[in-house]
Structure formats: structure tokens, C-alpha cells
Amino acid sequence: MSAAQAPRIAYVNGRYLPLAEATLPIMDRGFLFGDGIYEVTAVLGDRFIDNEPHLARLDRSLKAIGIRNPHTLDEWTEIQRELVKRNGLTQGIVYIEVTRGTYEREFTCPEDIAPNVVMFTQVKNILANPATEKGVAVITVNDLRWARRDIKSVALLAQVLAKFEAKRAGVAEAVMLEEGVVTEGASSTVFIVSSAGVLVTRALSTSVLPGVTRSSVMRLARETGLHVEERPFTRQEMLAAREVFYTSASSFVMPVVEVDGEKIADGRPGPITKKLRTIYLDEAQRG
Ligand code: PDD
């Protein structure tokens, strides 16, 4: 079979299988209750971008909901590498999901059932994404999520609804608000460059996911001499900002040029956003 015809290969509980054969029982608790967690790491060539902090957050999310981590750091990395190799992936993401396991549908189950592990890759044009040239539009929506948003839970219904709203509005992302204050994007961390030229994003708490890209971008921003503040900011402050962007494993640093139909500054990606994207990608590719 030629590479073009080769089936996508997924990983399920120790086995590498063609996607169509990669299945879990319907009594999987991830399927029934959203009882599981996930991670997404970007892949560029043979590099796994910020993989260690992603795997550290995976461990932290598992601990937070009382699922034992079925693999060591080295084992996770080995499976990721093998999966990427089997799929011939050179640009995209590798997805990991761990659910509490399979059991009769009851809200609780014995604490020691075996977790289910599912992994797959997705091809994505993350490097030369044309949207980064012009910047993207976003809308704001109410944040409907639960109170432990620091856990990377697969219970993503609120985000799915927010993303559908964004899609219907023809924009790239939904920025979630709580009483007029930005929490984060439906699948990203939101930053602004304030009218005073300060880089601002929310501080970490149970209200937001501790973004891995967020942390790298903040470090790089400080290294370039930018003043960084971790504090809440309102939708109004975002609209009046010099620059707005969001970060995630699958978008890196994405310039936002329009919020709820209103232009940010001159409606073009700002210099700080462009610089941070460039230095983030330089570091990611050089390591
Ligand atoms: N989402 N906030 C939320 C709610 C997210 O879902 C994500 C990532 C982020 C950014 O985190 P990181 O920089 O570690 O990717 C912030 C992933 C990409 C997803 O769900 O596909």
C-alpha cells in the first residue's frame, strides 16, 4: 500500500490500529460521563512542541480527578513518537485522552479499574496558517463552564456550543466572559496589549486552564523586555486594547483583529503579537 493510501493509525490501550478498528466499549466512562482528561501537543517535523509541560499537565489533570497515570513520561513520549512515525506526520497535533475506564453505567465505580488510553494524530497546517497574516475575528460569549477549568477535562460541551456560535458568526474563536470579564478562549488563552503597552492575561486559578503556550509566551515576552501583568481584564478593555491575540498548542500565537464586529486598533495584527509569534516559532523549531 502506498503512503497516500495508508490508513490513519490510532493507539488504543497498547495497540496501534487502523482508525476504523480503534474502538472502545460503549460503557467507557469518557463516553458516558465525560469522565476523563486530554492533552494536545503540536508536532513540527521531529519536534514535539512544549511536550514536557503538556505531559506534566496531563499528570496533574489525572491526579485532580483521581485517575492513576498509566504511563511514565518516557512511555508517553515513546508512544507519541511511534504514533507520529506510523502516520508519517510532519505537521499537526498528537492527541491523548485518558478516561477512568470501562464499567457498568453507574456514577461511581471501583477506584482501581484500568484507565482507557486513546491517542491519534491530526494533520494541521499550523506553521504557515494563512489566518496569522491577516489576523482573525472573534466573538464574545458567556462562559457556561464548570468551576474547575484548570483541569483539562474532556467534558467540553460549553466549549462546543461556544465554537458553534463562533462558526455561525463566521469567526475563528469564541472569547468567554464572566460578568463582562474575559476568562479565556473556548480552546485558547487570551492576551491583550493594553493601551499602556503592557501585555496582560488572566492569572492562573481554577477559572482558567493553565495554558502551556501561555507560559512559554509569557517567558519569551519578559525576556524581550515587555512588561507582563497577570490580572483580569474586561471586554471593554479588550476592545480598547492596542493588540489582542490568543495562544494554544494548535494555533501558537494568533492575532485577533476584530471582536464582536469591532476592529481592534487599525484592524491589523500588531507588532508585539507578530514578534511573539516569530520568537515562539523560532524557539519551537530550534528547541
Ligand atoms: N485547547 N484554554 C482552553 C480552554 C483550552 O482548551 C486550551 C487548549 C488552552 C490553551 O492551552 P495550551 O496552550 O496548553 O494548548 C486554553 C486545545 C488546543 C484543544 O482543546 O484542542
Side-chain angles (χ1 to χ4, degrees):
M1 197 181 268
S2 76
Q5 293 168 314
R8 253 171 100 189
I9 302 296
Y11 173 93
V12 186
N13 293 333
R15 301 171 72 199
Y16 296 90
L17 298 163
L19 204 57
E21 291 163 38
T23 58
L24 284 180
I26 62 166
M27 292 298 178
D28 170 65
R29 292 182 59 92
F31 174 65
L32 293 175
F33 298 110
D35 186 3
I37 62 91
Y38 75 109
E39 268 305 323
V40 176
T41 301
V43 178
L44 286 177
D46 61 359
R47 308 199 71 90
F48 288 67
I49 313 307
D50 284 337
N51 200 35
E52 270 200 28
H54 280 291
L55 293 175
R57 188 173 62 191
L58 179 121
D59 189 62
R60 188 180 155 277
S61 294
L62 286 171
K63 280 206 174 79
I65 64 168
I67 298 179
R68 92 181 149 77
N69 189 338
H71 294 298
T72 63
L73 199 66
D74 286 349
E75 285 167 357
W76 282 118
T77 312
E78 178 51 37
I79 305 167
Q80 286 174 313
R81 291 219 167 270
E82 183 60 29
L83 193 61
V84 162
K85 193 170 122 203
R86 286 184 189 231
N87 285 283
L89 183 77
T90 54
Q91 199 181 145
I93 61 107
V94 57
Y95 175 89
I96 303 178
E97 177 166 338
V98 184
T99 76
R100 197 177 302 277
T102 309
Y103 198 70
E104 185 51 48
R105 186 188 180 276
E106 286 167 13
F107 281 88
T108 65
C109 64
E111 307 247 350
D112 57 353
I113 63 169
N116 284 326
V117 177
V118 169
M119 293 168 62
F120 53 81
T121 59
Q122 284 179 330
V123 176
K124 272 190 207 288
N125 184 16
I126 43 181
L127 206 50
N129 182 347
T132 56
E133 299 298 319
K134 285 189 164 174
V136 297
V138 303
I139 53 165
T140 56
V141 300
N142 278 333
D143 195 333
L144 301 176
R145 296 175 300 163
W146 71 324
R148 287 299 308 274
R149 301 157 189 167
D150 55 317
I151 300 170
K152 202 161 172 58
S153 156
V154 291
L156 290 169
L157 185 55
Q159 282 103 314
V160 167
L161 297 179
K163 291 278 193 185
F164 266 111
E165 226 174 300
K167 188 180 177 192
R168 280 192 290 269
V171 302
E173 175 62 307
V175 170
M176 299 186 286
L177 301 176
E178 230 166 21
E179 291 167 15
V181 175
V182 172
T183 51
E184 59 188 326
S187 64
S188 60
T189 306
V190 180
F191 287 80
I192 60 170
V193 178
S194 73
S195 50
V198 175
L199 186 64
V200 183
T201 193
R202 251 188 111 115
L204 297 184
S205 69
T206 49
S207 297
V208 292
L209 186 78
V212 168
T213 323
R214 169 192 184 278
S215 142
S216 293
V217 165
M218 281 171 57
R219 172 178 50 77
L220 292 168
R222 287 188 170 119
E223 281 169 19
T224 64
L226 258 179
H227 185 52
V228 183
E229 263 177 37
E230 293 178 80
R231 61 164 174 85
F233 57 92
T234 61
R235 175 180 174 279
Q236 272 327 103
E237 196 180 355
M238 176 167 59
L239 286 169
R242 280 193 204 166
E243 300 182 31
V244 178
F245 64 88
Y246 60 79
T247 62
S248 73
S250 49
S251 65
F252 299 137
V253 176
M254 180 61 75
V256 173
V257 294
E258 194 187 296
V259 176
D260 292 334
E262 288 190 39
K263 269 199 183 108
I264 301 302
D266 66 358
R268 291 203 297 252
I272 291 174
T273 306
K274 284 200 221 166
K275 184 169 177 186
L276 289 173
R277 182 175 174 88
T278 304
I279 56 178
Y280 180 78
L281 283 173
D282 280 353
E283 185 180 80
Q285 288 171 292
R286 265 186 298 110

